[in-house]
mmCIF file of all heavy atoms in Angstrom:
data_model
loop_
_atom_site.group_PDB
_atom_site.id
_atom_site.type_symbol
_atom_site.label_atom_id
_atom_site.label_comp_id
_atom_site.label_asym_id
_atom_site.label_seq_id
_atom_site.Cartn_x
_atom_site.Cartn_y
_atom_site.Cartn_z
ATOM 1 N N SER A 1 0.834 -1.201 0.000
ATOM 2 C CA SER A 1 0.000 0.000 0.000
ATOM 3 C C SER A 1 0.868 1.250 0.000
ATOM 4 O O SER A 1 2.041 1.230 0.395
ATOM 5 C CB SER A 1 -0.939 0.015 1.214
ATOM 6 O OG SER A 1 -0.201 -0.001 2.425
ATOM 7 N N LEU A 2 0.267 2.336 -0.452
ATOM 8 C CA LEU A 2 0.900 3.653 -0.460
ATOM 9 C C LEU A 2 0.021 4.579 0.360
ATOM 10 O O LEU A 2 -1.204 4.599 0.177
ATOM 11 C CB LEU A 2 1.027 4.169 -1.896
ATOM 12 C CG LEU A 2 1.820 5.459 -2.106
ATOM 13 C CD1 LEU A 2 3.292 5.230 -1.770
ATOM 14 C CD2 LEU A 2 1.688 5.932 -3.549
ATOM 15 N N THR A 3 0.620 5.349 1.278
ATOM 16 C CA THR A 3 -0.176 6.168 2.195
ATOM 17 C C THR A 3 0.311 7.603 2.259
ATOM 18 O O THR A 3 1.481 7.901 1.979
ATOM 19 C CB THR A 3 -0.147 5.594 3.627
ATOM 20 O OG1 THR A 3 1.158 5.799 4.197
ATOM 21 C CG2 THR A 3 -0.489 4.117 3.636
ATOM 22 N N LEU A 4 -0.603 8.480 2.647
ATOM 23 C CA LEU A 4 -0.278 9.863 3.007
ATOM 24 C C LEU A 4 -0.528 9.992 4.497
ATOM 25 O O LEU A 4 -1.635 9.760 4.976
ATOM 26 C CB LEU A 4 -1.168 10.842 2.235
ATOM 27 C CG LEU A 4 -1.058 12.315 2.670
ATOM 28 C CD1 LEU A 4 0.346 12.854 2.412
ATOM 29 C CD2 LEU A 4 -2.105 13.168 1.949
ATOM 30 N N ASP A 5 0.510 10.353 5.229
ATOM 31 C CA ASP A 5 0.434 10.469 6.684
ATOM 32 C C ASP A 5 0.482 11.945 7.061
ATOM 33 O O ASP A 5 1.396 12.671 6.645
ATOM 34 C CB ASP A 5 1.611 9.720 7.308
ATOM 35 C CG ASP A 5 1.347 9.311 8.744
ATOM 36 O OD1 ASP A 5 0.177 9.103 9.090
ATOM 37 O OD2 ASP A 5 2.312 9.194 9.516
ATOM 38 N N ILE A 6 -0.493 12.397 7.837
ATOM 39 C CA ILE A 6 -0.550 13.784 8.292
ATOM 40 C C ILE A 6 -0.262 13.816 9.785
ATOM 41 O O ILE A 6 -0.933 13.146 10.568
ATOM 42 C CB ILE A 6 -1.921 14.421 8.010
ATOM 43 C CG1 ILE A 6 -2.273 14.316 6.513
ATOM 44 C CG2 ILE A 6 -1.934 15.873 8.456
ATOM 45 C CD1 ILE A 6 -1.313 15.025 5.603
ATOM 46 N N ALA A 7 0.755 14.612 10.174
ATOM 47 C CA ALA A 7 1.205 14.697 11.570
ATOM 48 C C ALA A 7 1.659 13.302 12.025
ATOM 49 O O ALA A 7 2.296 12.583 11.275
ATOM 50 C CB ALA A 7 0.124 15.279 12.463
ATOM 51 N N GLY A 8 1.328 12.912 13.257
ATOM 52 C CA GLY A 8 1.668 11.565 13.710
ATOM 53 C C GLY A 8 3.138 11.218 13.633
ATOM 54 O O GLY A 8 3.997 11.952 14.129
ATOM 55 N N ASN A 9 3.443 10.087 12.971
ATOM 56 C CA ASN A 9 4.821 9.611 12.870
ATOM 57 C C ASN A 9 5.736 10.581 12.142
ATOM 58 O O ASN A 9 6.933 10.623 12.391
ATOM 59 C CB ASN A 9 4.861 8.275 12.116
ATOM 60 C CG ASN A 9 4.022 7.204 12.760
ATOM 61 O OD1 ASN A 9 4.268 6.803 13.888
ATOM 62 N ND2 ASN A 9 3.012 6.734 12.048
ATOM 63 N N SER A 10 5.160 11.357 11.221
ATOM 64 C CA SER A 10 5.959 12.159 10.312
ATOM 65 C C SER A 10 6.272 13.557 10.820
ATOM 66 O O SER A 10 7.120 14.242 10.259
ATOM 67 C CB SER A 10 5.236 12.265 8.965
ATOM 68 O OG SER A 10 3.958 12.859 9.146
ATOM 69 N N GLY A 11 5.587 14.000 11.858
ATOM 70 C CA GLY A 11 5.763 15.367 12.313
ATOM 71 C C GLY A 11 4.780 16.296 11.621
ATOM 72 O O GLY A 11 3.894 16.866 12.246
ATOM 73 N N LEU A 12 4.914 16.459 10.310
ATOM 74 C CA LEU A 12 3.977 17.259 9.521
ATOM 75 C C LEU A 12 3.270 16.395 8.481
ATOM 76 O O LEU A 12 2.061 16.300 8.462
ATOM 77 C CB LEU A 12 4.694 18.431 8.841
ATOM 78 C CG LEU A 12 5.231 19.520 9.766
ATOM 79 C CD1 LEU A 12 5.933 20.599 8.952
ATOM 80 C CD2 LEU A 12 4.122 20.132 10.609
ATOM 81 N N TYR A 13 4.052 15.766 7.607
ATOM 82 C CA TYR A 13 3.457 14.858 6.624
ATOM 83 C C TYR A 13 4.550 13.970 6.059
ATOM 84 O O TYR A 13 5.745 14.282 6.112
ATOM 85 C CB TYR A 13 2.783 15.640 5.480
ATOM 86 C CG TYR A 13 3.708 15.844 4.290
ATOM 87 C CD1 TYR A 13 3.653 14.987 3.182
ATOM 88 C CD2 TYR A 13 4.663 16.869 4.281
ATOM 89 C CE1 TYR A 13 4.510 15.152 2.108
ATOM 90 C CE2 TYR A 13 5.518 17.039 3.214
ATOM 91 C CZ TYR A 13 5.446 16.184 2.123
ATOM 92 O OH TYR A 13 6.305 16.340 1.070
ATOM 93 N N SER A 14 4.143 12.847 5.481
ATOM 94 C CA SER A 14 5.066 11.995 4.736
ATOM 95 C C SER A 14 4.273 11.099 3.802
ATOM 96 O O SER A 14 3.097 10.832 4.020
ATOM 97 C CB SER A 14 5.935 11.135 5.674
ATOM 98 O OG SER A 14 5.141 10.220 6.407
ATOM 99 N N ILE A 15 4.930 10.677 2.741
ATOM 100 C CA ILE A 15 4.387 9.666 1.832
ATOM 101 C C ILE A 15 5.094 8.364 2.169
ATOM 102 O O ILE A 15 6.327 8.315 2.256
ATOM 103 C CB ILE A 15 4.612 10.065 0.366
ATOM 104 C CG1 ILE A 15 3.836 11.345 0.060
ATOM 105 C CG2 ILE A 15 4.178 8.941 -0.582
ATOM 106 C CD1 ILE A 15 4.099 11.911 -1.315
ATOM 107 N N ASN A 16 4.318 7.288 2.369
ATOM 108 C CA ASN A 16 4.886 6.058 2.909
ATOM 109 C C ASN A 16 4.533 4.841 2.059
ATOM 110 O O ASN A 16 3.475 4.779 1.434
ATOM 111 C CB ASN A 16 4.334 5.802 4.325
ATOM 112 C CG ASN A 16 4.560 6.988 5.236
ATOM 113 O OD1 ASN A 16 5.560 7.077 5.927
ATOM 114 N ND2 ASN A 16 3.612 7.922 5.232
ATOM 115 N N GLY A 17 5.423 3.877 2.078
ATOM 116 C CA GLY A 17 5.137 2.559 1.550
ATOM 117 C C GLY A 17 4.937 1.610 2.718
ATOM 118 O O GLY A 17 5.670 1.679 3.715
ATOM 119 N N GLU A 18 3.899 0.754 2.653
ATOM 120 C CA GLU A 18 3.632 -0.214 3.708
ATOM 121 C C GLU A 18 3.597 -1.625 3.119
ATOM 122 O O GLU A 18 3.201 -1.816 1.967
ATOM 123 C CB GLU A 18 2.292 0.081 4.400
ATOM 124 C CG GLU A 18 2.276 1.354 5.218
ATOM 125 C CD GLU A 18 1.032 1.449 6.098
ATOM 126 O OE1 GLU A 18 0.171 0.551 6.004
ATOM 127 O OE2 GLU A 18 0.940 2.414 6.870
ATOM 128 N N TYR A 19 4.007 -2.584 3.930
ATOM 129 C CA TYR A 19 3.998 -3.977 3.486
ATOM 130 C C TYR A 19 3.493 -4.869 4.616
ATOM 131 O O TYR A 19 4.034 -4.842 5.728
ATOM 132 C CB TYR A 19 5.395 -4.426 3.063
ATOM 133 C CG TYR A 19 5.424 -5.840 2.524
ATOM 134 C CD1 TYR A 19 4.894 -6.128 1.275
ATOM 135 C CD2 TYR A 19 5.972 -6.875 3.269
ATOM 136 C CE1 TYR A 19 4.913 -7.418 0.774
ATOM 137 C CE2 TYR A 19 5.995 -8.178 2.780
ATOM 138 C CZ TYR A 19 5.463 -8.434 1.527
ATOM 139 O OH TYR A 19 5.468 -9.717 1.036
ATOM 140 N N LEU A 20 2.434 -5.628 4.348
ATOM 141 C CA LEU A 20 1.916 -6.571 5.330
ATOM 142 C C LEU A 20 2.787 -7.824 5.317
ATOM 143 O O LEU A 20 2.860 -8.535 4.316
ATOM 144 C CB LEU A 20 0.468 -6.953 5.006
ATOM 145 C CG LEU A 20 -0.562 -5.821 5.092
ATOM 146 C CD1 LEU A 20 -1.954 -6.369 4.798
ATOM 147 C CD2 LEU A 20 -0.539 -5.161 6.456
ATOM 148 N N ILE A 21 3.442 -8.090 6.431
ATOM 149 C CA ILE A 21 4.403 -9.187 6.498
ATOM 150 C C ILE A 21 3.717 -10.528 6.726
ATOM 151 O O ILE A 21 4.006 -11.521 6.042
ATOM 152 C CB ILE A 21 5.424 -8.924 7.623
ATOM 153 C CG1 ILE A 21 6.182 -7.626 7.342
ATOM 154 C CG2 ILE A 21 6.383 -10.102 7.755
ATOM 155 C CD1 ILE A 21 7.074 -7.190 8.475
ATOM 156 N N LYS A 22 2.767 -10.568 7.668
ATOM 157 C CA LYS A 22 2.175 -11.856 8.024
ATOM 158 C C LYS A 22 0.858 -11.679 8.759
ATOM 159 O O LYS A 22 0.682 -10.725 9.512
ATOM 160 C CB LYS A 22 3.145 -12.648 8.913
ATOM 161 C CG LYS A 22 2.712 -14.088 9.205
ATOM 162 C CD LYS A 22 3.771 -14.819 9.994
ATOM 163 C CE LYS A 22 3.370 -16.250 10.315
ATOM 164 N NZ LYS A 22 3.143 -17.049 9.095
ATOM 165 N N LYS A 23 -0.092 -12.619 8.514
ATOM 166 C CA LYS A 23 -1.337 -12.702 9.279
ATOM 167 C C LYS A 23 -1.325 -13.979 10.102
ATOM 168 O O LYS A 23 -0.925 -15.040 9.600
ATOM 169 C CB LYS A 23 -2.537 -12.727 8.334
ATOM 170 C CG LYS A 23 -2.793 -11.418 7.610
ATOM 171 C CD LYS A 23 -3.982 -11.543 6.661
ATOM 172 C CE LYS A 23 -5.285 -11.754 7.412
ATOM 173 N NZ LYS A 23 -6.453 -11.804 6.506
ATOM 174 N N PHE A 24 -1.742 -13.868 11.374
ATOM 175 C CA PHE A 24 -1.762 -15.054 12.223
ATOM 176 C C PHE A 24 -2.727 -14.854 13.388
ATOM 177 O O PHE A 24 -2.655 -13.873 14.108
ATOM 178 C CB PHE A 24 -0.357 -15.378 12.753
ATOM 179 C CG PHE A 24 0.320 -14.211 13.439
ATOM 180 C CD1 PHE A 24 0.283 -14.080 14.815
ATOM 181 C CD2 PHE A 24 0.986 -13.240 12.701
ATOM 182 C CE1 PHE A 24 0.898 -13.012 15.455
ATOM 183 C CE2 PHE A 24 1.603 -12.166 13.334
ATOM 184 C CZ PHE A 24 1.557 -12.056 14.703
ATOM 185 N N ASN A 25 -3.691 -15.755 13.528
ATOM 186 C CA ASN A 25 -4.618 -15.792 14.670
ATOM 187 C C ASN A 25 -5.275 -14.446 14.974
ATOM 188 O O ASN A 25 -5.359 -14.025 16.130
ATOM 189 C CB ASN A 25 -3.875 -16.289 15.916
ATOM 190 C CG ASN A 25 -3.327 -17.688 15.748
ATOM 191 O OD1 ASN A 25 -3.934 -18.524 15.059
ATOM 192 N ND2 ASN A 25 -2.178 -17.957 16.350
ATOM 193 N N GLY A 26 -5.735 -13.765 13.951
ATOM 194 C CA GLY A 26 -6.405 -12.494 14.169
ATOM 195 C C GLY A 26 -5.482 -11.299 14.280
ATOM 196 O O GLY A 26 -5.927 -10.185 14.567
ATOM 197 N N TYR A 27 -4.189 -11.501 14.059
ATOM 198 C CA TYR A 27 -3.207 -10.424 14.102
ATOM 199 C C TYR A 27 -2.570 -10.262 12.718
ATOM 200 O O TYR A 27 -2.420 -11.233 11.969
ATOM 201 C CB TYR A 27 -2.103 -10.720 15.118
ATOM 202 C CG TYR A 27 -2.596 -10.844 16.537
ATOM 203 C CD1 TYR A 27 -2.957 -12.076 17.056
ATOM 204 C CD2 TYR A 27 -2.697 -9.723 17.353
ATOM 205 C CE1 TYR A 27 -3.413 -12.205 18.358
ATOM 206 C CE2 TYR A 27 -3.151 -9.832 18.660
ATOM 207 C CZ TYR A 27 -3.507 -11.072 19.158
ATOM 208 O OH TYR A 27 -3.955 -11.195 20.446
ATOM 209 N N THR A 28 -2.187 -9.033 12.399
ATOM 210 C CA THR A 28 -1.502 -8.752 11.134
ATOM 211 C C THR A 28 -0.301 -7.865 11.424
ATOM 212 O O THR A 28 -0.432 -6.803 12.039
ATOM 213 C CB THR A 28 -2.429 -8.034 10.138
ATOM 214 O OG1 THR A 28 -3.626 -8.808 9.963
ATOM 215 C CG2 THR A 28 -1.743 -7.867 8.794
ATOM 216 N N LEU A 29 0.870 -8.300 10.971
ATOM 217 C CA LEU A 29 2.108 -7.549 11.190
ATOM 218 C C LEU A 29 2.439 -6.745 9.939
ATOM 219 O O LEU A 29 2.414 -7.275 8.819
ATOM 220 C CB LEU A 29 3.251 -8.507 11.520
ATOM 221 C CG LEU A 29 4.605 -7.868 11.862
ATOM 222 C CD1 LEU A 29 4.481 -6.994 13.110
ATOM 223 C CD2 LEU A 29 5.663 -8.957 12.062
ATOM 224 N N ASN A 30 2.755 -5.468 10.137
ATOM 225 C CA ASN A 30 2.941 -4.529 9.033
ATOM 226 C C ASN A 30 4.233 -3.727 9.230
ATOM 227 O O ASN A 30 4.558 -3.316 10.341
ATOM 228 C CB ASN A 30 1.741 -3.571 8.992
ATOM 229 C CG ASN A 30 1.871 -2.498 7.941
ATOM 230 O OD1 ASN A 30 1.720 -2.775 6.759
ATOM 231 N ND2 ASN A 30 2.137 -1.281 8.364
ATOM 232 N N ALA A 31 4.982 -3.505 8.148
ATOM 233 C CA ALA A 31 6.184 -2.659 8.189
ATOM 234 C C ALA A 31 5.954 -1.443 7.292
ATOM 235 O O ALA A 31 5.243 -1.514 6.291
ATOM 236 C CB ALA A 31 7.399 -3.439 7.720
ATOM 237 N N ARG A 32 6.571 -0.327 7.654
ATOM 238 C CA ARG A 32 6.370 0.900 6.883
ATOM 239 C C ARG A 32 7.635 1.748 6.841
ATOM 240 O O ARG A 32 8.482 1.683 7.737
ATOM 241 C CB ARG A 32 5.232 1.727 7.488
ATOM 242 C CG ARG A 32 5.461 2.053 8.961
ATOM 243 C CD ARG A 32 4.327 2.864 9.563
ATOM 244 N NE ARG A 32 4.471 2.984 11.005
ATOM 245 C CZ ARG A 32 5.329 3.794 11.623
ATOM 246 N NH1 ARG A 32 6.118 4.587 10.899
ATOM 247 N NH2 ARG A 32 5.396 3.825 12.943
ATOM 248 N N ALA A 33 7.758 2.554 5.781
ATOM 249 C CA ALA A 33 8.856 3.509 5.644
ATOM 250 C C ALA A 33 8.353 4.669 4.801
ATOM 251 O O ALA A 33 7.559 4.483 3.873
ATOM 252 C CB ALA A 33 10.065 2.854 4.990
#
């Protein structure tokens, strides 16, 4: 996925790439940059 982040992690804004690594027992692990 591709995201636009406002405030939060980025301070003001950032464009991010996200990747879902794994799903297991109702949980989903995700990495972002």
Side-chain angles (χ1 to χ4, degrees):
S1 60
L2 187 66
T3 71
L4 172 64
D5 203 28
I6 304 299
N9 302 298
S10 59
L12 292 179
Y13 94 97
S14 64
I15 296 174
N16 305 268
E18 292 192 356
Y19 183 73
L20 295 182
I21 299 172
K22 187 176 179 61
K23 290 178 67 177
F24 53 97
N25 299 327
Y27 298 92
T28 305
L29 184 62
N30 176 74
R32 56 180 171 76

